[in-house]
Amino acid sequence: MTAGSAAPRPSASGGPASLTPADPMRLSEISGTAIPVEGNDIDTDRIIPARYLKEITFTNMGEYAFYDERFEESGAPKTHSFNDPRYAGASILIVNKNFGCGSSREHAPQAILRSGIRAIVGESFAEIFAGNCTVLGIPTVVLSAEEIGTLMSAVKQNPKLRIRVSLAEKTLTCDGRTLALQVPDTVWKALTEGTWDSTRLMLANLDKVRKTAAKLPYLSGFAGAA
Amino acid sequence: MSGKTLYRKVWDAHVVGRLPTGQTQVLIGLHLIHEVTSPQAFDMLREQGLKVAFPERTVATVDHIVPTKNQGRPFEDDQAEAMMSALEKNAREFGIRLFGVGDARQGIVHVIGPETGLTQPGMTVACGDSHTSTHGAFGCLAWGIGTSQIKDVLATQSLAMSELRVRRINVNGALGRHITAKDVILAIIRKLGVKGGIGHAYEYGGSAIDRMSMEERMSICNMSIEGGARIGYVNPDETTFAYIRGREFSPKDGAFDRAVAYWKSTASDSNAAYDDVVDLDAASIQPMITWGITPGQAVGIKEHLPRPEDLSSDDRAGAELAYRHMGLEPGRRAEGIPIDVAFIGSCTNSRISDLRAAAAAVKGKKVAPGVRALVVPGSNSVKRQAEAEGLDRIFREAGFEWRAAGCSMCLAMNPDKLKGREVCASSSNRNFIGRQGSPTGRTILMSPVMVVAAAVNGKLTDVREFVEASP
Ligand code: SF4
């Protein structure tokens, strides 16, 4: 699925046309197997320990996802779904409440993306984390606590269960059951209309940025009468 | 008709337009960058053939990975050296001002922005660090952003954002002796929860906040994000203007008076409408400490740690995990918890007033045997000021190490780290698992004077009794 990839598209530096949103990357559905990571308030330090922030590219972040939860200091593996071969190849992450709280580091969604995850389903998400996911094309979609509980146990029982997240329909289908997803409007629009690449959208308005700047007294050194 | 909040006025003045996503494109007046979250953004710019739109509106410093013992180049840690060189190269290539190691203005990004006069009321400020909320102390809107958004600001000098609700938090009355801004913000987060501020900007006011210095207001705004609020601010007043006057990047001469008039006009109207209002009685606040793994898991030093069964079902699982990690017994007194390490530093509490208060509390005393203690000033300029006042000598004589400026043990990306299960009394802002460099290390947040009291007694101590019991 190219839409979730963080790599730049080849056309990105190919002239002004590629800088407009006329070339959208619409995301309508993600399907695959799922992997549960249980617990409320899983913060970004737990998703990616701070020591890996020292790397100056995102290339290896996938290897470090949940590192301290997966390995002892000695390097011996702990029990964690990301170490469990039954979940290998999963593309949908299932989580509980307030996932991604704490530091705004974008290494967290990068680690998740680069470990193969293309969508996250949870009870709720920390705001900055969800925003950081959206700009990488990773939907963060919400189900009730009860639905998440049921989904997690179904996946634990049968890790090969296929799950389909339809953004277009705002539904999650699994085992013949269809659940209604909550998706914040801004996230939904950005992903389904392919406008999640905010840089391109905003670059198109650079003239208006200059006009706005010209009206701000502090950007002109408080020259003239206030 | 009701009036407008500062949030509304500053937001409106910076709106570029509506985006097809439904978000608003907002102009960013000041962009601060550091070595950890910016290199990937510059890489993406290069990959996509983009330029920096307004290089003069971005300022860079180094803080997160700089060693605080030996700052000679190249740094001993290859990765730290690679980050430092990447920032130097990016600053040169894109024409961005950099306060590097050795520069008098280098320091923690949230300390040096205000200190150099870059941070001013009525601005929008963005930085790739969640504690950017600190700058809100000046009456500006300051957001922590991720690396993709750093790329956005570099390429377009703007961010795509949605509006927040505004919650007014009044802290009225007089604070008790030795009760600091840190205790106030920990009490606020305890009351409203670590998620309470999601979707909100926090406007702090009331007589206790009005009386605070700029440095105290910065400690409060700094931790807004720990309460879930992406931004926090205090309306600008005479205290704000007096702080800004005469700094390197502040408006000069006639421009300063015009600036003050403008800044005043951006403050919330007295009849402004808020989405909600929360009141806190300043007199009720004790010295606070955290017992868990979120800043909301906090109690007063004279209290007992909560028993999980007494907490709401929402908080219980978190409390159980916290107790397992911390190895503390539910129901025990906060006083007397033993510590191994004492850290005074971080963008919350490493400014000159923090160091003065800590030095006054420790003067003539000794750090308990077996306790490792360090003071890391927030900036080069804080360090030099402290040394000019002899504070470094007081700390050293008491058994504290005196270091160069940086983030240090706040997030342990440099050599300053906890070892094993050490317990650290820390003046920083985050007690998350693994935050101070050891996955099993334990962090207890508190004010700098409380850190001093804990360092000297080797265990959590009520600073009020500690100071009053002094010879
Ligand atoms: S001192 Fe800590 S919280 Fe502040 S900028 Fe540095 S790492 Fe972030």
Side-chain angles (χ1 to χ4, degrees), chain B residues 132-258:
Chain B
T132 306
S133 56
T134 312
H135 304 261
F138 288 80
C140 50
L141 304 187
W143 293 270
I145 57 177
T147 294
S148 288
Q149 290 176 306
I150 298 175
K151 181 187 79 168
D152 285 350
V153 180
L154 290 171
T156 73
Q157 201 60 40
S158 31
L159 284 172
M161 286 192 290
S162 305
E163 278 183 45
L164 298 170
R165 293 186 291 278
V166 183
R167 171 174 297 148
R168 166 83 179 190
I169 300 178
N170 289 310
V171 187
N172 279 311
L175 290 170
R177 280 165 55 75
H178 309 295
I179 308 299
T180 68
K182 180 64 154 287
D183 304 305
V184 174
I185 188 63
L186 284 172
I188 290 173
I189 298 169
R190 178 199 198 179
K191 181 179 167 105
L192 300 175
V194 290
K195 295 165 229 169
I198 293 176
H200 286 84
Y202 279 176
E203 177 180 305
Y204 303 99
S207 58
I209 304 283
D210 290 345
R211 276 194 302 274
M212 282 185 182
S213 69
M214 289 316 295
E215 300 198 346
E216 294 172 294
R217 293 176 189 179
M218 283 188 251
S219 300
I220 302 250
C221 291
N222 174 274
M223 289 188 70
S224 304
I225 186 69
E226 305 309 332
R230 196 153 169 200
I231 70 176
Y233 67 88
V234 176
N235 283 303
D237 61 9
E238 294 305 327
T239 307
T240 321
F241 311 142
Y243 178 99
I244 297 173
R245 187 189 285 276
R247 293 184 186 259
E248 181 176 354
F249 296 100
S250 59
K252 300 284 156 357
D253 309 320
F256 187 83
D257 297 332
R258 288 192 293 276

Side-chain angles (χ1 to χ4, degrees), chain A residues 142-225:
Chain A
V142 173
L143 289 175
S144 71
E146 201 192 329
E147 290 165 331
I148 288 287
T150 315
L151 194 61
M152 277 194 178
S153 11
V155 169
K156 278 192 274 183
Q157 247 167 37
N158 176 13
K160 291 286 152 267
L161 199 62
R162 300 283 300 177
I163 291 179
R164 175 173 166 267
V165 171
S166 166
L167 284 172
E169 298 160 12
K170 295 195 193 176
T171 56
L172 181 145
T173 317
C174 161
D175 229 0
R177 239 184 112 194
T178 298
L179 305 170
L181 287 173
Q182 290 168 48
V183 192
D185 275 353
T186 48
V187 172
W188 188 79
K189 281 186 68 140
L191 295 172
T192 57
E193 295 176 6
T195 54
W196 46 273
D197 187 342
S198 49
T199 314
R200 277 156 210 258
L201 286 181
M202 294 196 291
L203 257 181
N205 301 332
L206 214 49
D207 283 346
K208 283 193 215 154
V209 173
R210 292 208 177 84
K211 278 188 199 131
T212 310
K215 284 187 294 190
L216 286 163
Y218 71 89
L219 291 179
S220 44
F222 294 100

Side-chain angles (χ1 to χ4, degrees), chain A residues 11-183:
Chain A
S11 62
S13 52
S18 66
L19 300 178
T20 70
D23 180 19
M25 296 191 281
R26 295 176 206 275
L27 265 174
S28 60
E29 81 168 59
I30 295 101
S31 39
T33 58
I35 178 167
V37 170
E38 281 177 276
N40 293 333
D41 304 318
I42 294 185
D43 59 65
T44 52
D45 284 69
R46 287 163 70 187
I47 299 173
I48 179 98
R51 58 185 179 279
Y52 299 117
L53 273 57
K54 285 190 186 174
E55 302 206 357
I56 57 176
T57 73
F58 286 136
T59 321
N60 300 323
M61 290 301 142
E63 292 163 35
Y64 311 138
F66 301 105
Y67 198 88
D68 290 341
E69 317 249 296
R70 288 164 58 197
F71 300 98
E72 303 285 355
E73 264 173 282
S74 65
K78 302 188 201 176
T79 311
H80 191 278
S81 55
F82 270 63
N83 288 344
D84 188 335
R86 295 180 306 147
Y87 299 116
S91 53
I92 295 166
L93 176 63
I94 311 174
V95 299
N96 295 107
K97 228 177 266 175
N98 199 30
F99 187 76
C101 56
S103 139
S104 61
R105 66 187 64 156
E106 204 173 305
H107 302 65
Q110 285 280 359
I112 287 172
L113 176 71
R114 287 169 198 260
S115 49
I117 300 301
R118 295 295 175 262
I120 316 180
V121 186
E123 289 175 51
S124 64
F125 296 92
E127 194 186 332
I128 298 181
F129 175 80
N132 286 343
C133 284
T134 306
V135 296
L136 294 180
I138 311 170
T140 48
V141 296
V142 173
L143 289 175
S144 71
E146 201 192 329
E147 290 165 331
I148 288 287
T150 315
L151 194 61
M152 277 194 178
S153 11
V155 169
K156 278 192 274 183
Q157 247 167 37
N158 176 13
K160 291 286 152 267
L161 199 62
R162 300 283 300 177
I163 291 179
R164 175 173 166 267
V165 171
S166 166
L167 284 172
E169 298 160 12
K170 295 195 193 176
T171 56
L172 181 145
T173 317
C174 161
D175 229 0
R177 239 184 112 194
T178 298
L179 305 170
L181 287 173
Q182 290 168 48
V183 192

Side-chain angles (χ1 to χ4, degrees), chain B residues 309-361:
Chain B
E309 58 270 27
D310 297 336
L311 296 171
S312 72
S313 58
D314 247 20
D315 292 339
R316 204 170 302 143
E320 280 162 2
L321 177 62
Y323 280 120
R324 270 202 302 283
H325 178 75
M326 297 299 289
L328 293 171
E329 193 194 320
R332 69 152 292 158
R333 293 161 62 235
E335 265 180 309
I337 295 174
I339 65 144
D340 307 299
V341 178
F343 171 62
I344 297 178
S346 91
C347 56
T348 318
N349 283 123
S350 64
R351 298 183 179 81
I352 190 68
S353 56
D354 298 311
L355 303 193
R356 283 181 188 139

Side-chain angles (χ1 to χ4, degrees), chain B residues 232-286:
Chain B
Y233 67 88
V234 176
N235 283 303
D237 61 9
E238 294 305 327
T239 307
T240 321
F241 311 142
Y243 178 99
I244 297 173
R245 187 189 285 276
R247 293 184 186 259
E248 181 176 354
F249 296 100
S250 59
K252 300 284 156 357
D253 309 320
F256 187 83
D257 297 332
R258 288 192 293 276
V260 168
Y262 175 68
W263 295 339
K264 282 184 177 159
S265 76
T266 63
S268 293
D269 298 326
S270 53
N271 61 342
Y274 297 93
D275 293 285
D276 66 350
V277 178
V278 173
D279 292 297
L280 196 69
D281 173 18
S284 71
I285 300 172
Q286 303 183 19

